[in-house]
Amino acid sequence: MKKTNHLKSRRVLNLALFFIVLTLSLPAFCFAAVDPVATINNAKTLLVSIVSSIGMIVAIYGIYQLGMAWQREDASGRSHGINGLIAGIIIAGTPWLLNYLLS
């Protein structure tokens, strides 16, 4: 029993060491000729897309939760579904609202 735990920990240590050596041995290229403002704008666009997508997923889950609660005639589930739907709409609309207010 003790021997197998020692072998497992040794195997995990060897695997971690292998990945560390592999990561450090790969070349990393850095190009400084890219416009930093364009990079920040691309990161901002990516972040806005991610937040909007998460908001839409929450809203869709809220609609699903509301429909299931409606079918079961569960008042508590309905309120949770409505809260999820509203939260998803708010999260999905926040980037648009910030762009509107800051423009």
Side-chain angles (χ1 to χ4, degrees):
M1 180 80 175
K2 196 169 192 173
K3 184 104 172 158
T4 59
N5 286 340
H6 175 68
L7 290 176
K8 283 184 183 179
S9 64
R10 183 79 165 163
R11 188 178 305 153
V12 169
L13 182 65
N14 286 340
L15 190 62
L17 185 63
F18 170 75
F19 280 116
I20 289 172
V21 169
L22 181 68
T23 304
L24 293 176
S25 66
L26 293 175
F29 299 104
C30 180
F31 299 106
V34 178
D35 184 25
V37 176
T39 305
I40 292 172
N41 285 337
N42 288 341
K44 180 181 141 188
T45 305
L46 177 67
L47 187 63
V48 165
S49 300
I50 290 171
V51 170
S52 295
S53 300
I54 290 172
M56 292 307 294
I57 290 169
V58 170
I60 290 170
Y61 182 69
I63 291 171
Y64 168 76
Q65 210 173 15
L66 181 64
M68 293 303 290
W70 202 284
Q71 183 181 9
R72 289 185 308 239
E73 297 181 7
D74 181 18
S76 174
R78 286 181 193 167
S79 68
H80 286 287
I82 291 172
N83 286 344
L85 177 63
I86 292 172
I89 291 171
I90 290 172
I91 293 171
T94 300
W96 175 81
L97 183 65
L98 287 175
N99 282 337
Y100 179 74
L101 291 176
L102 296 176
S103 296

